[in-house]
Amino acid sequence: MNDRQKNHQPVPLAQGLHIVAKPIGPACNLDCAYCFYLEKQALYGTGENYRMPDVVLATFIRSYVEAQPTPVVEFVWQGGEPTLLGIDFFRRVVELQAPFAANKTISNVLQTNGTLLDDAWCRFLKQHNFMVGVSLDGPREIHDRYRRDRQGNGSFDAVLRGLKLLQRHGVNYNVMASVARETARQALAVYRFFKEQGVEFIQFVPLIERLPGAGETQLGLNLAGPAALDREELNTTVTPWTVVPEEYGDFLIAIYEEWVRQDVGTTFVMNFEWALNAWIGNPSPVCIHARQCGRSLVIEHNGDIFPCDHCVYPHYRLGNILSDDLAGMVAKSARSGFGVDKENALPRWCRECEVLAACQGGCPKHRFAQSHYGEPGLHYLCAGYKKFFRHIRKYLRAMTTLLEHGVPVSEVMKAVKGPLVIRVADQEEAGAATDRRPV
């Protein structure tokens, strides 16, 4: 440990960073068939105590706050299932964060399957202004297909009960819905279900898992790790639940077509927000559609730091929060084969693509397809992303026109249904030849 670490005076990072905490590692009360994190227990010895020790927790909170140059420090608590730790663990979190609240705005996000929430949990979450992400895939027949408990029973009822408790207590929440192969074919059933349940904020996450091929380290795991962006011989066989690329595009399009006519300004689909953000020209708020990655790290229950939760493998380990400088680990992450390589390793097919500004090549873990030119490193969902982003351009143009004139974006719903859509479309199409926004 160097003098700077001993004096607890880390050099602030030039750019902001984001750290997802796994305070209970891969431990979970559910046994979801598609979860890529549950099997990470194979990386630890039998009898491992998946509970972040107080010394790791305290060091992480201090180091993260002191290294974060932005005025807001967002703590994200995931698992596994973090509520298995109990409320007292998160009371300790709040206690350890309190001394830093005078100089930074501290926020907390708890990602949960919702099954263990009760009134006491919800009172605590409301009191301390936690944002809660609930994993819910849709109506019962869709959710229970893969999200089952350790006894093989569906978890839908328990999750929905937890969601209703959050609503009753006024806790800020959103829903994270995984899109499996079968789910993609029932887009409107899924979307309308969420609206019926009063969900206002939704994020759709496509399920993509690859099986390891010859020469790929398995470490006792059944699923492949991140793709090597320059390897042409990667196994491209995916799991049965992995979404079909164009069907994922169709899924998003079907929901967007209903949303843009009925729900703009009342239902917020994060995937659509990201697309508009890219069209306007802002940097992506999510790593998967950012030009580069490597600054969204993950800390495991034992203090080990990895570039992201897709990279929790021994050869990606950056260090440990108890012994290594956080800024140094972030710098190492940017050099770990992701970071700038996410942009530099884009195949020609991506660099020539009209929707590159929205997609940015996608998550490196899933760039295991070959391009039209036979190049490695193409994202598995390329066809779906392209189909979706190309389809919604006419709406993004209209929304941008409204914003430029100081009109709420929700007015696009009138434009879609009335004469304004013709006027806006005519104006935009007339200038399409000179419009260089690439979405």
Side-chain angles (χ1 to χ4, degrees):
M1 182 177 293
N2 59 36
D3 290 338
R4 180 162 54 81
Q5 288 172 288
K6 290 178 181 177
N7 295 330
H8 304 312
Q9 295 176 346
V11 175
L13 297 158
Q15 303 176 47
L17 74 153
H18 187 254
I19 301 180
V20 173
K22 304 276 189 176
I24 198 164
C28 189
N29 60 322
L30 296 186
D31 190 19
C32 302
Y34 58 60
C35 183
F36 72 92
Y37 220 80
L38 286 180
E39 67 172 14
K40 294 298 175 68
Q41 293 187 28
L43 302 179
Y44 300 95
T46 56
E48 175 79 6
N49 178 19
Y50 294 105
R51 184 183 182 90
M52 183 175 282
D54 193 71
V55 62
V56 173
L57 179 64
T59 305
F60 162 55
I61 289 174
R62 174 184 54 76
S63 299
Y64 187 25
V65 173
E66 292 180 346
Q68 181 64 270
T70 61
V72 177
V73 186
E74 181 182 73
F75 287 84
V76 179
W77 308 95
Q78 288 187 1
E81 177 46 47
T83 57
L84 287 171
L85 291 162
I87 298 176
D88 284 345
F89 178 88
F90 289 96
R91 288 198 177 101
R92 178 62 174 158
V93 165
V94 173
E95 177 185 336
L96 290 169
Q97 291 171 341
F100 303 100
N103 299 317
K104 296 282 187 178
T105 298
I106 308 292
S107 66
N108 287 284
V109 178
L110 179 73
Q111 183 64 39
T112 175
N113 60 39
T115 59
L116 302 179
L117 295 177
D118 56 19
D119 287 316
W121 263 111
C122 291
R123 284 192 294 267
F124 169 81
L125 296 168
K126 176 65 175 178
Q127 178 185 358
H128 296 286
N129 200 31
F130 273 62
M131 167 63 74
V132 179
V134 179
S135 297
L136 175 62
D137 290 353
R140 182 189 305 275
E141 63 275 13
I142 291 174
H143 179 92
D144 280 350
R145 184 179 185 95
Y146 294 112
R147 298 190 65 82
R148 296 180 173 273
D149 64 20
R150 297 286 175 173
Q151 290 72 46
N153 302 311
S155 62
F156 176 81
D157 288 335
V159 177
L160 194 62
R161 186 195 68 238
L163 177 68
K164 295 303 177 184
L165 281 169
L166 292 171
Q167 292 173 335
R168 190 180 311 153
H169 285 268
V171 178
N172 292 324
Y173 75 93
N174 57 34
V175 163
M176 182 176 289
S178 295
V179 183
R181 184 167 304 188
E182 300 81 7
T183 312
R185 298 162 187 165
Q186 303 180 65
L188 293 182
V190 171
Y191 181 57
R192 290 169 182 171
F193 165 78
F194 288 132
K195 290 198 293 181
E196 290 167 1
Q197 301 305 321
V199 175
E200 296 177 349
F201 295 87
I202 313 164
Q203 178 181 339
F204 292 111
V205 181
L207 290 177
I208 309 168
E209 292 298 338
R210 183 173 62 90
L211 301 178
E216 292 189 82
T217 304
Q218 296 189 39
L219 303 170
L221 306 176
N222 296 313
L223 302 173
L229 302 182
D230 58 350
R231 282 185 58 179
E232 298 183 9
E233 70 277 13
L234 283 170
N235 182 27
T236 58
T237 304
V238 295
T239 60
W241 58 79
T242 292
V243 67
V244 175
E246 289 209 41
E247 290 182 358
Y248 179 65
D250 291 335
F251 172 88
L252 292 177
I253 288 169
I255 295 174
Y256 197 101
E257 286 290 340
E258 178 157 309
W259 173 81
V260 79
R261 286 168 171 78
Q262 300 179 14
D263 305 314
V264 180
T266 56
T267 301
F268 300 87
V269 180
M270 296 301 101
N271 312 68
F272 303 163
E273 301 288 328
W274 302 334
L276 179 59
N277 191 76
W279 176 262
I280 293 171
N282 295 329
S284 175
V286 290
C287 57
I288 56 174
H289 294 312
R291 289 175 59 187
Q292 300 178 7
C293 60
R295 303 185 69 83
S296 295
L297 279 61
V298 63
I299 180 170
E300 270 291 339
H301 61 288
N302 63 356
D304 283 348
I305 303 286
F306 296 87
C308 77
D309 63 356
H310 288 312
C311 299
V312 179
Y313 298 90
H315 52 287
Y316 284 112
R317 182 180 176 274
L318 300 171
N320 189 283
I321 198 70
L322 296 180
S323 57
D324 298 289
D325 176 54
L326 185 55
M329 288 187 282
V330 173
K332 185 178 179 181
S333 175
R335 301 190 302 266
S336 67
F338 291 82
V340 295
D341 282 355
K342 180 177 188 266
E343 180 179 12
N344 293 343
L346 282 172
R348 174 185 168 191
W349 187 252
C350 291
R351 288 183 276 110
E352 295 176 352
C353 182
E354 60 190 315
V355 301
L356 175 60
C359 171
Q360 298 295 353
C363 177
K365 181 186 178 182
H366 303 136
R367 286 168 56 180
F368 54 81
Q370 285 198 347
S371 78
H372 176 76
Y373 299 117
E375 308 161 287
L378 185 71
H379 197 279
Y380 169 79
L381 285 182
C382 174
Y385 280 147
K386 182 174 288 190
K387 191 172 189 179
F388 169 63
F389 290 130
R390 291 181 66 181
H391 181 88
I392 66 173
R393 284 183 296 189
K394 56 185 176 290
Y395 301 119
L396 298 177
R397 291 181 184 125
M399 290 180 186
T400 302
T401 300
L402 293 169
L403 287 171
E404 289 172 349
H405 288 83
V407 179
V409 173
S410 58
E411 292 296 304
V412 74
M413 293 186 289
K414 297 177 183 176
V416 170
K417 296 176 182 178
L420 180 59
V421 70
I422 299 173
R423 293 199 298 273
V424 170
D426 287 346
Q427 287 177 345
E428 295 296 334
E429 290 305 320
T434 58
D435 189 346
R436 296 194 176 274
R437 283 171 292 192
V439 177

